Amino acid sequence: MIELKSPAEIQRMRVTGAFVAGVLAELRAKAAVGVNLLDLEQHTRTLIRERGAQSCYWDYAPSFGRGPFRNTVCLSVNDAVLHGLPHDYVLRDGDVLSMDLAVSIDGWVADAAVTIVVGTPDEAGLRLVRATEEALSAGIDAARPGNRLGDISAAIGAVADAYGYRVNTEFGGHGLGRTMHEDPHVPNRGKPGRGLALRPGMTLALEPWFTSGSPRIVTDPDGWTIRSADGSRTAHSEHTVAITGDGPVVLTRP
């Protein structure tokens, strides 16, 4: 079931989204050569506690993970792309780091992710990150009343095609609001004009993620971290978006 949000409820999600954006901005600034992933996790815990927010990841135990997840941010490096379990790893020059954060404030959730190249950027890494960012922008632009869910998915997939990246559809975007994962599922590839009609009040987390090689994925022994099957580098970008009568509104914009 899809719950349509009122303008007042969307505004409450915007408050959460501003906090998520602020935390990701701090993590982006702190992520540097020589920084341990566990330090980024600890900093995130501190910010969440000081705000009086609740982590959507802590104790999360879905069917696809080996729960419970006892961390507050997903940190995925290089060939890891989703659900990266923070661990004792020191960032190196050229690492591609994805940071994914979802929290709840006063019962309303926001979810976002950014990917950066640590230290000295290389063109291949920047190109991969740029592709996910452009795909996210294209998906957001398609999130309008009168369009269909397939229009969002097709817009994201078209950017992947333009860059020459193949798309995995096992994981994608999703609805959210009172909880982190609600209907509908939003694949990163689809057909325009197909699927659910988009209506004002729908709130979606759009999250294109691409690998630079094979679209196949594998899961680490930790039961959470998802990697490209061939070890190729990956990137992930995400925003929480509200569909309104005036078009899409990004609730996790910095």
Side-chain angles (χ1 to χ4, degrees):
M1 184 178 71
I2 296 173
E3 179 186 5
L4 299 180
K5 315 306 189 297
S6 69
E9 290 170 336
I10 289 173
Q11 183 57 36
R12 293 176 72 180
M13 290 180 67
R14 188 197 292 267
V15 171
T16 310
F19 174 72
V20 168
V23 174
L24 288 175
E26 288 202 29
L27 294 180
R28 180 193 287 267
K30 288 181 70 69
V33 175
V35 172
N36 196 302
L37 295 183
L38 294 178
D39 293 333
L40 298 179
E41 163 65 25
Q42 195 58 51
H43 186 64
T44 305
R45 292 187 193 189
T46 299
L47 294 175
I48 290 174
R49 182 179 65 253
E50 290 177 345
R51 178 59 177 81
Q54 291 79 44
S55 169
C56 293
Y57 297 155
W58 193 268
D59 277 345
Y60 187 50
S63 60
F64 57 79
R66 185 181 300 162
F69 192 90
R70 285 297 179 91
N71 290 275
T72 59
V73 62
C74 293
L75 301 173
S76 307
V77 182
N78 293 329
D79 59 329
V81 64
L82 296 172
H83 313 153
L85 196 66
H87 60 286
D88 185 14
Y89 176 83
V90 176
L91 291 169
R92 304 169 183 171
D93 193 49
D95 277 345
V96 177
L97 171 65
S98 296
M99 300 176 284
D100 189 354
L101 179 68
V103 304
S104 175
I105 296 176
D106 296 328
W108 293 97
V109 172
D111 188 1
V114 297
T115 300
I116 63 170
V117 181
V118 178
T120 308
D122 64 283
E123 181 51 39
L126 292 175
R127 183 177 188 273
L128 181 61
V129 173
R130 186 164 59 246
T132 65
E133 292 173 343
E134 291 182 10
L136 178 56
S137 293
I140 292 169
D141 190 59
R144 300 176 180 276
N147 280 354
R148 292 187 173 269
L149 202 62
D151 294 310
I152 296 176
S153 300
I156 291 171
V159 174
D161 291 343
Y163 274 86
Y165 299 131
R166 290 182 289 171
V167 177
N168 177 291
T169 56
E170 293 175 63
F171 293 91
H174 50 89
L176 76 172
R178 299 180 189 272
T179 62
M180 177 171 59
H181 285 135
E182 300 179 355
D183 290 333
H185 172 64
V186 188
N188 287 325
R189 181 176 292 287
K191 295 182 178 180
R194 301 284 292 274
L196 184 73
L198 303 180
R199 298 170 58 190
M202 294 176 66
T203 48
L204 305 172
L206 305 184
E207 48 180 316
W209 60 275
F210 303 148
T211 69
S212 55
S214 169
R216 290 182 54 247
I217 54 176
V218 295
T219 303
D220 271 6
D222 65 24
W224 283 101
T225 305
I226 293 176
R227 299 182 183 275
S228 60
D230 62 357
S232 58
R233 291 193 296 179
T234 63
H236 175 206
S237 295
E238 179 180 16
H239 271 312
T240 295
V241 180
I243 298 174
T244 76
D246 296 324
V249 176
V250 178
L251 305 181
T252 46
R253 183 88 66 192

